C-alpha cells in the first residue's frame, strides 16, 4: 500500500464518519421531520457509498472492483434527485410519484451492468489475473468501440440530469426564500441561512465532481488532486453537519391541535399537510380566506371577547404568521380591523332590529368589553356614534 492509497483511505474514512454522524443527527430530529429528512438521508447514503467506493478501489482486487462497478458507478445519479425531493418537501410541495425521479438511475444501472458483462466477456482472463490496463486499438476493437459509446451515453445523461436538477433547485429555492421573507416576519432566523448554505454546498459538490471528472480525463497522474477534491467534499458535509447540530429540528413544525367547529366537533384542518407548510402560495391563501369567511359566518368565534390571532389561526388550522399574511396581503386588513369591522357590522343590525336594547348590551354581545371601546370602534368605521346611527336609521 503506497502513500496515495493511504491518502484515499484517510479521506474516505473521514467522509464515512461524517456521513454516519449526519444520519444520526437527522434521526434525532424525530418522526415529524422524517418526510423531508428521508430524502436528505438518501443523499447522505449515496455520499457514504461514494466514500466506500474509494476504500474498495484501494483494498479490493480488479475483478471485485468490476463486480461492484454497477453499484458504485450509479451513485452520482442519486445525488440531485434526492436533494430536489428534499427541497420539495421543505417547500410544502411534495412529489406524489417520487419513483419517477429514480427511473434514470435504474436505466443507467442496467447500462453499467451491460458494460461490465462486455468487459468480462472480452477481457475476463486478464481481469482475473489482476490486469487493469490493456494495449488495444480503440478504433478497431468492436468491444472497445461499444464500451466507448456506452460511456459517452452514461456521461451525457449524467450531466444533463445534473444541470436540469440544479436549475430546478435554484429556481425553486429562490422562489421559496422570497416567499419566506414576505411571510415569516423574522421568525425561523436560522432557516434562510440553512437553505442558502445547504444549496451552496450542493452546488459546490456538483462543481467538485465535475472538476474531478475533467481532471481524470485530461491527466492520468492526478490522484493527489483527486484526493484534495474529495477532501473538499468531506468539508462540505462537515459544514452541513455543523449547521444541523446548531439548528436542531430546523424544519419540524409544532404538532398542531385540532380545533372545534360550531357544533363542538373536531376539525382536521390542522392535520392537513398543506396547512402546516412554512409558506403559502396564492392557492393556499385563497383556501385559507374561504375557510376564514366560513368560520366567521357559521360560528360565533368573532364575538369572543378573548379572541386573539393565535386562537383564530388555530381555528382555521394555520400558523398565526400565515393568517396575518392572508389578512394583510389578500384581504387588506389587520387582525383588529378585520374583527372590529365584523363586530360593528353585526352591531349595526342589532341597533336597528332591537331599538329597545341598550348600547352596552349590544356592545358586550358582539365582543367588546366596554361601551367606550365600542363607541370608538363604531365611530371609526361608520363615522357616527352608536346613538346617532340608531337615530338616523330608525
Amino acid at each position: 500500500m503506497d502513500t496515495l492509497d493511504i491518502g484515499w483511505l484517510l479521506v474516505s474514512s473521514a467522509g464515512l464518519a461524517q456521513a454516519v454522524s449526519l444520519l444520526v443527527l437527522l434521526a434525532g430530529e424525530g418522526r415529524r421531520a422524517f418526510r423531508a429528512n428521508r430524502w436528505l438521508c438518501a443523499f447522505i447514503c449515496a455520499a457514504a457509498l461514494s466514500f466506500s467506493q474509494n476504500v474498495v478501489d484501494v483494498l479490493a482486487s480488479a475483478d471485485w472492483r468490476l463486480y461492484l462497478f454497477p453499484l458504485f458507478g450509479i451513485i452520482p445519479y442519486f445525488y440531485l434527485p434526492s436533494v430536489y425531493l428534499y427541497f420539495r418537501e421543505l417547500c410544502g410541495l411534495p412529489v406524489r410519484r417520487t419513483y419517477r425521479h429514480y427511473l434514470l438511475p435504474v436505466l443507467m444501472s442496467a447500462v453499467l451492468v451491460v458494460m461490465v458483462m462486455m468487459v468480462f466477456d472480452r477481457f475476463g482472463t486478464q481481469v482475473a489475473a489482476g490486469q487493469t490496463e490493456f494495449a488495444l486499438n480503440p478504433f478497431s476493437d468492436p468491444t472497445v468501440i461499444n464500451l466507448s459509446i456506452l460511456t459517452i451515453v452514461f456521461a451525457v445523461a449524467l450531466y444533463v440530469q445534473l444541470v436540469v436538477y440544479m436549475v430546478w433547485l435554484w429556481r425553486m429555492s429562490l422562489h421559496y426564500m422570497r416567499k419566506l421573507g414576505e411571510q415569516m416576519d423574522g421568525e425561523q432566523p436560522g432557516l434562510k441561512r440553512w437553505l442558502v448554505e445547504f444549496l451552496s454546498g450542493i452546488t459546490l459538490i456538483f462543481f467538485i465532481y465535475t472538476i474531478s471528472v475533467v481532471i481524470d480525463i485530461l491527466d492520468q497522474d492526478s490522484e493527489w488532486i483527486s484526493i484534495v477534491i474529495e477532501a473538499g467534499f468531506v468539508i462540505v458535509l462537515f459544514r452541513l453537519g455543523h449547521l444541523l447540530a446548531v439548528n436542531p429540528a430546523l424544519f419540524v413544525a409544532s404538532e398542531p391541535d385540532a380545533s372545534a367547529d360550531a357544533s363542538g366537533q373536531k376539525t382536521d384542518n390542522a392535520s392537513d399537510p398543506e396547512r402546516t407548510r412554512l409558506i403559502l402560495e396564492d392557492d393556499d391563501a385563497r383556501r385559507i380566506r374561504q375557510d376564514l369567511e366560513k368560520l366567521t359566518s357559521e360560528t360565533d368565534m368573532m364575538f369572543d371577547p378573548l379572541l386573539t390571532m393565535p386562537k383564530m389561526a388555530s381555528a382555521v388550522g394555520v400558523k398565526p404568521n400565515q393568517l396575518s399574511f392572508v389578512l394583510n396581503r389578500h384581504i387588506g386588513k389587520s387582525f383588529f380591523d378585520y374583527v372590529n369591522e365584523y363586530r360593528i357590522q353585526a352591531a349595526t343590525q342589532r341597533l336597528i332590529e332591537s331599538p329597545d336594547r341598550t348600547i352596552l348590551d349590544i356592545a358586550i354581545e358582539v365582543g367588546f368589553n366596554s361601551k367606550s371601546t365600542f363607541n370608538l370602534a363604531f365611530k371609526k368605521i361608520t363615522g357616527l356614534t352608536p346613538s346617532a346611527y340608531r337615530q338616523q336609521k330608525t
Side-chain angles (χ1 to χ4, degrees):
M1 186 178 296
D2 57 19
T3 306
L4 282 173
D5 291 339
I6 295 174
W8 276 118
L9 288 177
L10 289 175
V11 171
S12 300
S13 298
L16 280 170
Q18 187 58 45
V20 171
S21 66
L22 275 171
L23 291 174
V24 172
L25 283 172
L26 290 172
E29 290 198 355
R31 178 179 57 83
R32 294 199 301 271
F34 177 72
R35 283 189 63 87
N37 284 350
R38 57 180 172 167
W39 302 118
L40 188 54
C41 288
F43 165 77
I44 295 170
C45 288
L49 282 174
S50 178
F51 293 123
S52 300
Q53 180 184 15
N54 298 329
V55 176
V56 170
D57 288 343
V58 172
L59 301 179
S61 60
D63 54 344
W64 271 105
R65 291 200 297 270
L66 267 179
Y67 286 133
L68 295 173
F69 184 64
L71 171 64
F72 292 130
I74 205 65
I75 292 171
Y77 277 95
F78 284 92
Y79 285 141
L80 287 181
S82 299
V83 173
Y84 175 74
L85 293 173
Y86 174 63
F87 267 77
R88 287 288 298 249
E89 289 284 352
L90 296 185
C91 295
L93 301 170
V95 178
R96 291 185 177 181
R97 298 178 178 87
T98 55
Y99 67 88
R100 292 182 177 181
H101 292 270
Y102 294 106
L103 292 179
L104 184 60
V106 171
L107 178 61
M108 290 298 107
S109 179
V111 171
L112 292 182
V113 170
V114 171
M115 292 174 66
V116 170
M117 292 174 63
M118 292 171 63
V119 170
F120 273 110
D121 182 62
R122 177 66 174 82
F123 310 109
T125 304
Q126 295 95 314
V127 171
Q131 185 177 349
T132 57
E133 297 182 2
F134 312 99
L136 296 170
N137 185 345
F139 300 103
S140 61
D141 192 301
T143 300
V144 176
I145 293 174
N146 292 332
L147 286 171
S148 300
I149 293 173
L150 290 177
T151 301
I152 292 172
V153 170
F154 183 88
V156 169
L158 175 60
Y159 278 95
V160 168
Q161 184 213 49
L162 291 177
V163 171
V164 169
Y165 274 99
M166 286 304 302
V167 171
W168 285 351
L169 277 171
W170 274 103
R171 288 182 61 184
M172 179 175 56
S173 300
L174 291 175
H175 171 75
Y176 181 72
M177 285 186 282
R178 178 176 61 82
K179 289 282 189 180
L180 194 66
E182 292 176 353
Q183 298 178 24
M184 290 304 291
D185 296 329
E187 296 183 18
Q188 301 271 355
L191 183 55
K192 188 173 182 180
R193 183 180 66 180
W194 162 258
L195 290 172
V196 171
E197 293 211 31
F198 181 75
L199 190 57
S200 299
I202 294 301
T203 305
L204 181 59
I205 290 172
F206 166 70
F207 282 112
I208 285 174
Y209 181 78
T210 302
I211 292 171
S212 66
V213 171
V214 171
I215 289 175
D216 287 340
I217 293 174
L218 298 179
D219 185 3
Q220 296 298 322
D221 299 322
S222 61
E223 285 206 57
W224 277 113
I225 299 177
S226 298
I227 291 176
V228 172
I229 292 173
E230 195 81 359
F233 191 175
V234 176
I235 292 172
V236 172
L237 286 180
F238 178 80
R239 176 55 181 166
L240 296 181
H242 176 261
L243 286 174
L244 280 173
V246 299
N247 296 283
L250 195 58
F251 297 102
V252 180
S254 58
E255 193 74 50
D257 294 326
S259 56
D261 61 16
S263 63
Q265 298 296 318
K266 297 284 186 177
T267 61
D268 60 355
N269 280 349
S271 63
D272 186 349
E274 293 184 353
R275 305 299 183 131
T276 58
R277 64 179 61 169
L278 287 174
I279 64 170
L280 300 173
E281 300 296 337
D282 291 340
D283 289 342
D284 304 315
R286 281 192 290 270
R287 284 195 295 270
I288 291 173
R289 182 174 179 177
Q290 292 170 359
D291 289 344
L292 181 59
E293 292 172 352
K294 183 179 179 180
L295 178 73
T296 57
S297 63
E298 296 182 1
T299 73
D300 293 330
M301 174 170 282
M302 298 293 283
F303 301 147
D304 180 1
L306 301 178
L307 182 62
T308 61
M309 173 79 80
K311 191 172 183 178
M312 180 184 285
S314 177
V316 178
V318 296
K319 298 175 182 296
N321 68 281
Q322 293 172 330
L323 179 59
S324 176
F325 176 78
V326 171
L327 288 172
N328 284 280
R329 294 295 183 91
H330 292 261
I331 299 179
K333 299 175 184 177
S334 68
F335 168 74
F336 292 105
D337 287 340
Y338 182 80
V339 172
N340 283 343
E341 286 185 16
Y342 184 88
R343 289 175 174 177
I344 296 303
Q345 182 182 7
T348 59
Q349 296 175 356
R350 286 162 171 77
L351 284 170
I352 297 172
E353 294 172 356
S354 305
D356 296 332
R357 292 182 63 184
T358 65
I359 292 175
L360 177 59
D361 185 30
I362 293 174
I364 292 175
E365 182 182 343
V366 297
F368 288 94
N369 292 312
S370 67
K371 184 177 179 180
S372 60
T373 304
F374 174 65
N375 287 341
L376 288 173
F378 196 98
K379 188 170 184 178
K380 178 182 177 182
I381 293 171
T382 66
L384 299 170
T385 64
S387 299
Y389 183 88
R390 172 179 270 175
Q391 291 175 359
Q392 187 182 83
K393 298 295 183 178
T394 57

